[in-house]
Amino acid sequence: MKRKLIAAIGVAAMLGVSACGSDSDDSGDNGSGGGDKTLTVWVMDGSAPDEWVTELNKEFESANEGVTVKIQEQQWNGIQEKITTSLSEDTPPDVIELGNTQTAGYAVTGGLADLTDMKADLGYDSWIEGMVSSTEIDGKLFAAPWYAANRAVIYDKSIFEEAGVEPPTTREEWLDGLKKIEKETDAQPLYLPGQSWYIYAGFLWDEGGDLAVQDGDQWKGSLATPEGEAAMNFYKELAAYTNAPTDIDESTPQQSTDIIPKGDVASWIGLGWEAGGAQAAIEEAGGEADFGYFPIPGKSADQPGHVFFGGSNLAVSERSQNKELAQEWLKLATSEKWMKKYAEATGGALLPNSEAAQVTPEPGSFAEAMVKAADVGRITPVTPGWANVETDPNPIKQYMTNVLNGSDPEKAGKDADTTITERINQG
């Protein structure tokens, strides 16, 4: 999960820039002499609200005399290499925040402590289902989910009102609304770049398919399937209402700050931080943003469309010199009590790991739309090799561009599946 996703709270300006007690010293010092101990926790920049982490550590230190919790903030840029190195050392950080799609890769190297015996203590059975898969591999638990966020449709209320369109609850209503906007206004009904593959993944899950499936001990790409084609066909239907190029994604150029503030876009699909970024850019230019939000519609009104869960987990280093203390800190930080406090500190803009910890988001907010899709959130295939699939050139992106430009979906899917299969099975 990238830094800007974590900054979803920019929508309501709820997090401090730095976690209280953060330290740029990355030495992993686990002892302070005199029998006292220092518990080192790595969190990503922007993940831990000041007040939340301060109060959490105060409670933990009060219950563990002689222990000091040292929070060290890290940057997403280059973090995978940094964590890989630290986990191989004798004094790694005791607790580490990991992107949810990265966790499996660290687990198979032996760098993370096995938490399977702690399932009950950690509240495993109460975790949101879509977050659980990223914490396990081969039936063993190696992390606890911390938070997640997902995309929703962001729309210009004035344009929708001009066209007489209400927020849709089904795909059919969605397409009908876009058609009406095209007819009744001068606005671009939907900004949808051709390579927004996280959005395509949601449509694929709606159809019952997946980006890759396990085949014995191996994995194989699964875009050249009826489900993959159906998902891409729906993407094409939406793309009929956009002027966006077919060979870029939502970040090149960044849709929230480079496209939307220029105006004449009725709707787009994005994250909470993007909604906040667009609003800030519009207001900085002297304009006024009046956004509404709704979940990505599903095939029926009974359930919204599936969404990709971007988020983070918390794990304990296998070589931690304070493993039992680290496990206790993890247990406290991800407990219902402190997850609820976390949700409150982030204004509901990030999803905590259980429904019981969620707070009621403000009516009409992005968070409200995001929460409605929480039950159908999923992540990419949980296997260490998945990271290889996402490296440039991403075969899923190329597949989408090819189909949107007229290629046969089955042939384009087979080409992509060949690359996915090769990459995902690499050691």
Side-chain angles (χ1 to χ4, degrees):
M1 180 179 177
K2 295 181 180 178
R3 164 69 181 90
K4 288 183 177 179
L5 173 55
I6 295 173
I9 39 65
V11 177
M14 287 163 283
L15 294 190
V17 174
S18 301
C20 182
S22 65
D23 195 319
S24 60
D25 176 14
D26 297 334
S27 62
D29 178 18
N30 288 306
S32 56
D36 293 343
K37 293 183 177 180
T38 298
L39 194 72
T40 303
V41 179
W42 278 13
V43 298
M44 303 311 298
D45 177 29
S47 291
D50 285 355
E51 182 178 355
W52 180 82
V53 77
T54 298
E55 292 303 312
L56 169 69
N57 289 339
K58 181 178 179 181
E59 178 174 320
F60 184 80
E61 290 170 356
S62 294
N64 295 275
E65 186 176 354
V67 174
T68 300
V69 181
K70 183 178 183 181
I71 302 294
Q72 293 183 340
E73 287 192 346
Q74 309 297 321
Q75 303 298 320
W76 282 106
N77 186 29
I79 191 59
Q80 293 195 52
E81 295 80 3
K82 190 170 186 178
I83 291 176
T84 298
T85 299
S86 69
L87 290 177
S88 68
E89 296 174 342
D90 292 332
T91 56
D94 301 293
V95 180
I96 303 179
E97 175 186 349
L98 305 171
N100 58 0
T101 61
Q102 303 170 352
T103 305
Y106 298 121
V108 297
T109 67
L112 304 182
D114 186 343
L115 306 177
T116 308
D117 292 341
M118 292 185 63
K119 280 186 175 182
D121 290 337
L122 290 170
Y124 176 92
D125 290 339
S126 69
W127 291 343
I128 293 174
E129 185 177 354
M131 296 186 188
V132 174
S133 61
S134 70
T135 66
E136 298 180 302
I137 190 166
D138 295 333
K140 294 183 178 181
L141 184 71
F142 289 96
W146 189 9
Y147 62 83
N150 53 261
R151 290 165 175 79
V153 181
I154 305 160
Y155 70 96
D156 187 311
K157 290 182 179 180
S158 63
I159 297 176
F160 267 54
E161 183 178 354
E162 180 184 349
V165 174
E166 296 292 329
T169 59
T170 67
R171 286 186 177 184
E172 184 177 1
E173 291 177 359
W174 193 9
L175 291 169
D176 287 345
L178 294 173
K179 183 177 182 180
K180 195 171 183 180
I181 291 169
E182 183 178 57
K183 179 180 178 180
E184 300 294 336
T185 76
D186 294 328
Q188 180 179 183
L190 175 69
Y191 180 77
L192 182 65
Q195 295 186 344
S196 294
W197 70 275
Y198 287 123
I199 297 171
Y200 167 74
F203 299 156
L204 181 55
W205 294 327
D206 285 344
E207 300 294 340
D210 209 339
L211 300 165
V213 295
Q214 200 158 10
D215 184 18
D217 294 333
Q218 299 290 299
W219 286 78
K220 62 180 182 180
S222 55
L223 302 186
T225 59
E227 295 83 3
E229 183 171 349
M232 198 60 222
N233 283 340
F234 179 62
Y235 198 100
K236 285 180 67 175
E237 289 188 79
L238 291 176
Y241 297 99
T242 186
N243 298 329
T246 62
D247 60 350
I248 63 170
D249 62 22
E250 66 277 10
S251 64
T252 50
Q254 174 49 243
Q255 60 182 7
S256 62
T257 54
D258 296 328
I259 301 297
I260 305 306
K262 295 178 181 178
D264 296 326
V265 174
S267 62
W268 47 296
I269 302 170
L271 294 155
W273 71 265
E274 291 183 291
Q279 180 174 331
I282 290 170
E283 292 175 352
E284 186 177 347
E288 183 176 348
D290 188 15
F291 292 146
Y293 314 95
F294 57 86
I296 295 173
K299 301 182 75 171
S300 72
D302 297 334
Q303 178 178 285
H306 284 77
V307 288
F308 170 74
F309 259 158
S312 281
N313 300 324
L314 289 170
V316 173
S317 302
E318 172 61 24
R319 296 191 180 190
S320 165
Q321 303 299 302
N322 302 301
K323 190 179 294 185
E324 290 186 7
L325 279 173
Q327 292 172 341
E328 287 302 310
W329 188 92
L330 176 65
K331 176 182 173 182
L332 184 66
T334 59
S335 66
E336 180 181 325
K337 170 186 174 180
W338 283 97
M339 281 282 84
K340 188 168 185 177
K341 288 179 178 291
Y342 186 83
E344 291 169 349
T346 60
L350 296 174
L351 295 169
N353 61 18
S354 70
E355 290 185 9
Q358 289 180 11
V359 297
T360 302
E362 182 181 343
S365 66
F366 181 93
E368 182 182 53
M370 179 181 68
V371 168
K372 289 179 180 178
D375 288 342
V376 288
R378 295 181 61 175
I379 68 166
T380 51
V382 181
T383 173
W386 182 256
N388 301 322
V389 177
E390 294 189 27
T391 57
D392 290 331
N394 184 322
I396 306 169
K397 289 184 175 183
Q398 191 58 54
Y399 159 75
M400 296 174 68
T401 295
N402 289 343
V403 175
L404 290 173
N405 287 346
S407 294
D408 175 67
E410 184 176 5
K411 181 183 184 304
K414 287 181 178 179
D415 290 343
D417 286 344
T418 296
T419 304
I420 292 172
T421 301
E422 178 183 351
R423 292 187 185 182
I424 202 170
N425 292 305
Q426 290 176 357

